[in-house]
Amino acid sequence: MPAPRRCPPWAMQFFSYETPKSVVVRSWVMGATHRAVQLLILAYFIGWVFLHEKAYQVRDTAIESSVVTKVKGIGRYAGRVLDTADYVTPPQGTSVFVVVTKQILTEQQAQGLCPESEAAFRCRSDRDCRDRSPTSGSGLLTGRCVPYNGTLRTCEIRGWCPPEVDTVDVPIMLEAENFTLFIKNSIRFPLFGFEKANLPPPGAGGDLGRCRFHPQLQPLCPILRLGDVVRLAGQDFRTLAATGGVLAIKIGWVCDLDRGGERCLPRYSFTRLDGLSHATGYNFRHARYHHCQDGTERRTLTKAFGIRFDVLVYGHAGKFGIVPTLINTVAAFTSIGVGTVLCDIILLNFLKGAEHYKACKFEEVPEVDMVPSPGSPTAPAPGGLGLCPRDKQSTDSGTFSLGH
């Protein structure tokens, strides 16, 4: 009778089937390690995921916001008394505005020919002016070298004359440090239909006009002193007023709607936005035009230095939802199984007797065509399973215990 044909090894490996087998190891070390890992995973999900991150909530991060600002204060500059209309731009009270603290004026400019005022355009002859770019900071070069004063000669330009000289030293408006800024911020979370403002509700009591923002004493007051904003942003007011700068007033709305809408309160923070730039400072130019009696058009050019304020609103709201709760609960119980994987690695690789445990955990069983009779040579011995001895048989047919 011919011998049965054997399958190639790769086919036996491909068509084999693996099923888990439970092995109970009576070891205090492994038992304590397993429970400790499970407790750590459970504590992480309860403490961090559910309590801190509130993963059981539905989140709405699409915050809708409206900001209205108003600056108040009277200052003195260059012999004039200035009010809000003089030093705040734009005047509409938007979320981005500038408080002008220093100005360099060039008055009575008119179209014509004049020497350039910048030191880079000094010359000795017309040839020095023809080799340059046809434009300068103040106008178009004519190619001529003309006297600037009794000792200096510069290239001639066509444009607004006399040109601006922005290297002069001018004072700053120190009164701006005590100006006040009122911020009215209304927000809405469309997913929940929740609306809130940074103002106290009508009839809440208290004089809104008398309060001033303080991070500890009055953290909810919407009226801020400009000097306090600069200080809380970590800047010096005199230095910032002289060079200009950009500050951010951030209003954060992080709301847990499960605790009630009345606990949804704004938090203010402050920072400088242009502090990391090599060209720090902020300035811009604008002009006022007028016509003289002789019909010529003249203008007053102003180079303004100031502090630009950007009111930035961010936030999110959360509310209990059954779907994220179920998802994270299932993830928590699934992750507890990581403890079993870790303990298997320790048991089968690092503990004394690892080879013995491997022999008990992994067993190869050949395929049988029929159940052998008790007297058959292939029948397993009572109380035995493969090559692994056991001290105690459990009631579960797939589990057996190992003493340690």
Side-chain angles (χ1 to χ4, degrees), residues 333-344:
F333 284 105
T334 304
S335 300
I336 292 178
V338 175
T340 303
V341 177
L342 178 62
C343 290
D344 280 349

Side-chain angles (χ1 to χ4, degrees), residues 1-208:
M1 182 177 180
R5 185 177 180 181
R6 299 185 61 183
C7 295
W10 66 267
M12 293 294 294
Q13 292 290 335
F14 183 78
F15 291 104
S16 61
Y17 169 72
E18 295 181 0
T19 181
K21 180 176 67 172
S22 298
V23 179
V24 180
V25 179
R26 305 296 183 184
S27 170
W28 285 100
V29 175
M30 294 307 305
T33 303
H34 187 212
R35 297 307 178 194
V37 173
Q38 288 181 329
L39 286 176
L40 286 176
I41 296 174
L42 193 61
Y44 165 77
F45 273 91
I46 294 176
W48 179 262
V49 176
F50 283 96
L51 297 181
H52 186 271
E53 294 296 321
K54 295 181 174 60
Y56 58 86
Q57 291 183 334
V58 177
R59 296 290 181 89
D60 185 3
T61 58
I63 184 173
E64 299 174 353
S65 173
S66 171
V67 175
V68 177
T69 59
K70 182 180 292 186
V71 179
K72 287 186 177 182
I74 300 297
R76 291 180 297 176
Y77 191 82
R80 295 186 301 164
V81 176
L82 306 182
D83 59 13
T84 305
D86 297 314
Y87 59 75
V88 174
T89 182
Q92 290 83 5
T94 61
S95 60
V96 179
F97 62 94
V98 179
V99 175
V100 177
T101 55
K102 188 176 77 170
Q103 302 180 49
I104 298 177
L105 302 179
T106 306
E107 299 179 324
Q108 298 298 319
Q109 285 187 318
Q111 289 285 325
L113 298 173
C114 56
E116 175 62 86
S117 62
E118 296 183 11
F121 290 90
R122 293 179 182 178
C123 62
R124 293 182 178 179
S125 64
D126 293 347
R127 179 179 300 178
D128 297 334
C129 298
R130 294 193 185 102
D131 296 338
R132 297 176 179 271
S133 173
T135 61
S136 70
S138 303
L140 299 176
L141 295 176
T142 63
R144 298 173 55 195
C145 183
V146 298
Y148 179 76
N149 53 30
T151 58
L152 295 178
R153 295 171 64 87
T154 61
C155 297
E156 186 182 54
I157 62 168
R158 180 183 297 276
W160 289 100
C161 298
E164 177 191 58
V165 180
D166 60 356
T167 57
V168 296
D169 188 18
V170 295
I172 62 175
M173 186 170 59
L174 297 176
E175 291 83 2
E177 187 173 5
N178 294 315
F179 291 170
T180 59
L181 168 63
F182 170 70
I183 302 177
K184 179 182 178 182
N185 178 216
S186 302
I187 58 100
R188 179 175 182 269
F189 291 104
L191 182 63
F192 306 120
F194 177 78
E195 299 179 356
K196 194 72 182 287
N198 66 331
L199 305 180
D207 189 354
L208 181 62

Side-chain angles (χ1 to χ4, degrees), residues 381-404:
L385 182 61
L387 299 175
C388 180
R390 38 184 185 169
D391 299 329
K392 184 179 181 181
Q393 179 74 31
S394 71
T395 56
D396 187 348
S397 60
T399 304
F400 64 90
S401 303
L402 291 177
H404 180 71

Side-chain angles (χ1 to χ4, degrees), residues 200-374:
D207 189 354
L208 181 62
R210 292 180 178 272
C211 78
R212 293 294 181 269
F213 175 84
H214 189 277
Q216 285 81 36
L217 302 179
Q218 298 191 58
L220 300 178
C221 179
I223 301 177
L224 303 89
R225 180 175 167 269
L226 295 189
D228 294 337
V229 174
V230 174
R231 178 178 55 83
L232 292 172
Q235 305 297 315
D236 178 71
F237 186 85
R238 288 177 176 266
T239 303
L240 195 64
T243 61
V246 183
L247 298 183
I249 302 175
K250 297 186 288 185
I251 307 178
W253 296 85
V254 179
C255 302
D256 183 0
L257 299 184
D258 292 329
R259 303 176 63 184
E262 65 278 359
R263 295 194 178 185
C264 181
L265 301 173
R267 291 188 177 183
Y268 298 84
S269 59
F270 313 90
T271 186
R272 183 172 182 178
L273 297 180
D274 66 330
L276 298 179
S277 173
H278 295 291
T280 57
Y282 180 82
N283 62 77
F284 61 96
R285 291 175 173 85
H286 63 92
R288 294 195 302 270
Y289 299 85
H290 60 277
H291 288 81
C292 299
Q293 293 181 353
D294 59 358
T296 60
E297 183 185 38
R298 295 182 180 273
R299 75 175 188 178
T300 298
L301 178 65
T302 302
K303 182 178 182 180
F305 296 79
I307 306 174
R308 195 182 90 174
F309 295 92
D310 293 9
V311 182
L312 310 177
V313 182
Y314 67 95
H316 63 265
K319 199 172 185 178
F320 175 79
I322 188 63
V323 173
T325 301
L326 291 177
I327 292 175
N328 286 281
T329 301
V330 172
F333 284 105
T334 304
S335 300
I336 292 178
V338 175
T340 303
V341 177
L342 178 62
C343 290
D344 280 349
I345 295 175
I346 298 174
L347 177 69
L348 302 177
N349 296 277
F350 302 105
L351 283 188
K352 183 179 180 180
E355 295 299 327
H356 171 68
Y357 296 131
K358 285 182 181 179
C360 296
K361 182 171 178 62
F362 303 106
E363 181 180 6
E364 184 175 344
V365 180
E367 181 182 9
V368 295
D369 295 331
M370 59 181 293
V371 179
S373 61

